Amino acid sequence: MKLQRKNRLRALSLGAVAVSGALALTACGSDDNGGGSGSSTSSASANASSIKCDNAKGQLLADGSSAQKNAIDAWVKNFSQACGVQINYKGSGSGAGVTAFTQGQVAFAGSDSALKPEEVTASKKVCSGGQGIDLPMVGGPIALGYNVPGVDSLVLDAPTIAKIFDSKITNWNDAAIKKLNPTAKLPNLKIQAFHRSDESGTTDNFTKYLIAATPSNWKYSGGKAWQAKGGQSAPQSAGVAQQVKQTSGAIGYFELSYVADGIKAVSVDTGASKPVAPSTESATADIAAAKVVGTGKDLSLKLDYNTKAEGAYPMTLVTYEIVCDKGNKADTLPATKAFLRYIASEDGQKILSTINYAPVPDEIIAKVRTTIEGLS
């Protein structure tokens, strides 16, 4: 009995330590969580034992894509618990992340768009003897979240989406929307279309979809900066999602993990036999057809934004972790490699599907793992 009581007290003590550690890590995190990062908590203890720290120490500063913020938060929780390394990922947007990287302010950056040639050139100034490269790490659908009272299911196609975000369709009971939703009770309500105010890879990928799927209705050249006139704006994915949630008649684009209470997601009529809803599975179906178009150690991808394949969702993005292939700072290289190694690992990628992201296809992530081992 004494032995049992002693073991029970020891277990309670260990449990208290674990809880306090988890609370401390949570307190260090960002409150910009959208709707998905909390579900990763149960994965932490299961994955921590498989993480190889390899002399990782100190802290890492990183910035970039807000689309992957919920994934990064989940990974950081596990990695910090295992290795004691503090990682501060701001999630200020892809444009801000690339700028911070090319100015040598961060160990790595996240971007939903691959580096442009001029950005590669700029990176050579901070990557001694090397350059910045793109490592695809997170996949996912770009959801069109909406808040229309009484409408629980909504289908839109590319021309209609383009006209909504170009201020050509301005009311929810417009004939074009009615035609796609004959049984829906569409209200006589003004559309409030929200886009990103900051430079964003999510914007870049969303407009690439419009350019590919309905070029006659989207005449803009695309890129990280929003170009269409009209509409309303908010910073980062979380900011757009918050505006949609609190604004009657609103619609906006953001990563699926930001679809939460008060927001519903549009299904897209791609020309397949039935409309496709954004999901881990439907995004994976599209990303699986991606081709590596980067050269050397760069693994940037080309996505099919105009897919009509059954069950494939066309508005997808891949977030890249941008790092120097050579010339990484000696004081941050061990922690950077260890963290990237973990998030590219089987355990790291498994977390993604539990929080509404899509893992990178096996053939591509295998190349990412090999590239990470060669970072110097």
Side-chain angles (χ1 to χ4, degrees):
M1 291 295 290
K2 287 184 177 180
L3 182 59
Q4 289 177 339
R5 183 171 181 271
K6 182 177 181 181
N7 287 339
R8 181 171 174 270
L9 289 172
R10 182 173 181 271
L12 288 170
S13 176
L14 289 172
V17 171
V19 170
S20 64
L23 289 173
L25 285 168
T26 302
C28 292
S30 168
D31 62 359
D32 181 11
N33 288 330
S37 62
S39 59
S40 68
T41 305
S42 61
S43 304
S45 59
N47 287 283
S49 62
S50 65
I51 297 174
K52 298 177 181 177
C53 300
D54 288 349
N55 300 316
K57 59 184 178 181
Q59 64 176 3
L60 292 179
L61 297 179
D63 197 1
S65 165
S66 64
Q68 71 164 358
K69 182 67 164 61
N70 292 330
I72 290 285
D73 285 349
W75 283 329
V76 165
K77 186 178 292 185
N78 291 356
F79 185 77
S80 296
Q81 180 177 322
C83 301
V85 175
Q86 180 183 347
I87 300 177
N88 180 3
Y89 182 82
K90 292 183 180 180
S92 302
S94 297
V98 171
T99 298
F101 179 77
T102 56
Q103 292 180 352
Q105 299 171 357
V106 293
F108 69 91
S111 177
D112 307 319
S113 300
L115 290 169
K116 296 177 181 178
E118 61 269 26
E119 293 168 340
V120 173
T121 299
S123 74
K124 293 179 179 179
K125 296 177 182 179
V126 296
C127 301
S128 180
Q131 66 179 48
I133 56 173
D134 301 287
L135 300 179
M137 205 70 75
V138 183
I142 301 172
L144 285 178
Y146 70 95
N147 176 2
V148 182
V151 180
D152 295 326
S153 177
L154 185 67
V155 175
L156 297 175
D157 59 10
T160 308
I161 294 167
K163 291 173 185 176
I164 287 172
F165 281 89
D166 199 21
S167 303
K168 302 290 177 59
I169 292 178
T170 59
N171 203 289
W172 280 111
N173 65 355
D174 187 274
I177 303 177
K178 281 184 175 181
K179 185 176 180 180
L180 291 163
N181 301 271
T183 63
K185 295 181 179 179
L186 296 165
N188 182 13
L189 179 66
K190 183 180 178 182
I191 295 173
Q192 308 282 353
F194 283 89
H195 58 265
R196 290 281 290 272
S197 60
D198 53 321
E199 289 206 354
S200 159
T202 309
T203 294
D204 189 17
N205 284 275
F206 175 54
T207 54
K208 280 178 179 176
Y209 158 72
L210 295 175
I211 291 168
T214 184
S216 61
N217 290 297
W218 196 259
K219 302 290 189 178
Y220 306 98
S221 61
K224 293 177 184 174
W226 184 257
Q227 296 172 322
K229 306 300 181 183
Q232 301 183 62
S233 64
Q236 287 94 51
S237 292
V240 176
Q242 181 60 33
Q243 289 299 321
V244 171
K245 183 176 180 177
Q246 66 188 26
T247 305
S248 180
I251 187 170
Y253 58 90
F254 33 79
E255 214 285 328
L256 182 61
S257 68
Y258 290 92
V259 174
D261 293 341
I263 302 176
K264 296 179 176 65
V266 170
S267 292
V268 179
D269 182 346
T270 64
S273 63
K274 60 182 180 180
V276 185
S279 69
T280 296
E281 294 76 18
S282 62
T284 299
D286 185 51
I287 295 171
K291 305 294 183 184
V292 175
V293 294
T295 58
K297 294 183 178 180
D298 186 88
L299 297 175
S300 56
L301 304 175
K302 182 177 181 180
L303 300 172
D304 183 2
Y305 296 99
N306 197 26
T307 181
K308 293 176 175 58
E310 296 296 329
Y313 186 78
M315 277 185 282
T316 56
L317 59 77
V318 170
T319 302
Y320 302 95
E321 310 313 331
I322 295 171
V323 66
C324 297
D325 58 354
K326 298 177 182 178
N328 290 280
K329 294 179 181 178
D331 58 338
T332 58
L333 178 60
T336 299
K337 285 184 72 170
F339 181 65
L340 294 179
R341 181 186 296 120
Y342 161 58
I343 67 179
S345 71
E346 185 176 347
D347 283 341
Q349 289 288 300
K350 275 182 181 178
I351 290 173
L352 293 176
S353 59
T354 69
I355 50 176
N356 290 324
Y357 291 96
V360 176
D362 290 343
E363 182 180 346
I364 298 172
I365 202 67
K367 295 177 181 178
V368 172
R369 292 167 186 156
T370 299
T371 302
I372 290 170
E373 294 309 317
L375 299 179
S376 62

